[in-house]
Amino acid sequence: MPVNVRIVQGLQEAASILASDRGAQLLGGGTLLVRDINEGVMTEGTLLRAVDPALLAMNTGGARVELGAGVTMAMVLAGRDLSYLHAAARGIGGPAVRTTATIGGNLFAATPYGDFTTALLALDAVVTLHAGFGGARVMPLEEMLANRARGGVGLVASVGFSRPAGADAFRFVKVARVRPKGVSVLSIAAHLPQNAGRISGARVAYGAMGPTPLRAKAVERVLEGRSLDAATIAAAKTAALEGTQPATDAIASEWYRREVLPVHLGRLLAGETS
Ligand SMILES: Cc1cc2nc3c(=O)[nH]c(=O)nc-3n(C[C@H](O)[C@H](O)[C@H](O)COP(=O)(O)OP(=O)(O)OC[C@H]3O[C@@H](n4cnc5c(N)ncnc54)[C@H](O)[C@@H]3O)c2cc1C
């Protein structure tokens, strides 16, 4: 059976097809799916192209930000109000990949991919899902990623999050052996709002340190209520590996990822560039 391409207008219709046909996959920018076809990994099934304009919506100017799942990395980079996300978007492949790679596709990209999702996790993002029945529902991104392994998550229509508190409050680093286009050894995103000089509501996330991007909850606990000084950074580095489960792959060994994570976390918290 060949691979079919089906074009539908509405998100709900696309979600219904995804729910009823296990061989159907939503086509985002196709940087992973089309590669699978070219390499003979995907030989049958349906690629579903949804042309609903909601997928390309960008509400970026206010305190609450909403990005359609079809928004590409290039669109993020063109968004002046999204400068805090530029480092994460710029880290995805080269210019050709960024022109088509979508936010929605990044949410489903297998480790060590998922750098943009790591940034969204540190922004405490929620996703709006269409599961094919019962309309749309909103779910924390962390919960969606936990459900992802089981499959059947449904169609992600958009992601939403609160704009970071200030220019220095959101930090992102991608660690790669080949620059500028190498795949991640790991990535780290941190949202560090401060109140009277003390961190309040810290969110830290890692990419490529587990089966999906994950929150560094032990680090968040260490940071909470403290000033970002040398003692706090040292304590955060000590807690850095808790909850991580990195893989060994062609990019790096599990050992290497564990070795370098605390170093890069310390640099990110200290405001040093890696
Ligand atoms: C050369 C190269 C370099 C790369 N470098 C990086 C990198 O540095 N960092 C990184 O994170 N990634 C990287 N990637 C992987 C990939 O390009 C990105 O993760 C990209 O964001 C995937 O998005 P896409 O739209 O192309 O996904 P697609 O290939 O269209 O889809 C991928 C998966 O997501 C599902 N999907 C897509 N959109 C939705 C949706 N809205 N709802 C439900 N399911 C959906 C699809 O069904 C499919 O299963 C690279 C890829 C290539 C080819």
Side-chain angles (χ1 to χ4, degrees):
M1 201 168 75
V3 176
N4 298 308
V5 178
R6 214 171 141 183
I7 298 174
V8 295
Q9 297 293 322
L11 293 181
Q12 202 51 51
E13 185 188 357
S16 300
I17 295 169
L18 288 177
S20 60
D21 178 357
R22 293 183 70 84
Q25 294 194 69
L26 193 85
L27 180 64
T31 57
L32 294 173
L33 274 180
V34 173
R35 186 172 72 175
D36 281 353
I37 293 171
N38 289 341
E39 294 177 353
V41 176
M42 184 178 182
T43 54
E44 56 184 62
T46 302
L47 293 185
L48 204 55
R49 164 70 84 193
V51 291
D52 195 312
L55 286 171
L56 297 177
M58 295 177 78
N59 293 314
T60 61
R64 192 74 196 158
V65 177
E66 199 79 24
L67 300 172
V71 167
T72 65
M73 300 303 150
M75 289 166 74
V76 171
L77 284 166
R80 280 197 208 158
D81 293 331
L82 294 174
S83 54
Y84 49 94
L85 282 172
H86 285 182
R90 204 177 296 114
I92 311 282
V97 168
R98 292 195 288 271
T99 301
T100 55
T102 65
I103 294 173
N106 202 259
L107 299 176
F108 291 86
T111 190
Y113 292 150
D115 299 311
F116 197 81
T117 304
T118 302
L120 291 174
L121 204 49
L123 287 168
D124 240 350
V126 294
V127 295
T128 300
L129 287 168
H130 288 257
F133 48 85
R137 67 189 173 126
V138 175
M139 181 185 283
L141 172 58
E142 190 181 9
E143 190 181 335
M144 189 228 99
L145 291 171
N147 293 344
R148 190 182 83 174
R150 294 197 286 274
V153 167
L155 183 153
V156 177
S158 62
V159 297
F161 52 86
S162 296
R163 166 186 287 279
D168 196 37
F170 189 74
R171 303 174 186 185
F172 177 89
V173 65
K174 170 176 166 168
V175 181
R177 284 174 156 163
V178 180
R179 293 186 190 221
K181 292 200 289 185
V183 176
S184 278
V185 170
L186 58 89
S187 53
I188 311 172
H191 186 208
L192 308 166
Q194 297 204 22
N195 190 357
R198 298 197 176 269
I199 299 166
S200 169
R203 288 289 178 273
V204 180
Y206 301 148
M209 288 304 294
T212 67
L214 50 87
R215 289 250 310 270
K217 292 187 181 174
V219 174
E220 292 172 0
R221 281 194 298 272
V222 165
L223 295 174
E224 199 58 33
R226 295 176 69 164
S227 56
L228 202 49
D229 56 22
T232 304
I233 293 171
K237 285 172 71 175
T238 302
L241 290 171
E242 201 174 309
T244 61
Q245 213 187 324
T248 293
D249 56 27
I251 307 300
S253 67
E254 174 189 350
W255 174 86
Y256 184 75
R257 287 189 160 103
R258 288 186 193 278
E259 284 294 306
V260 299
L261 173 69
V263 177
H264 289 286
L265 177 68
R267 287 182 189 162
L268 187 76
L269 295 176
E272 298 164 9
T273 47
S274 291

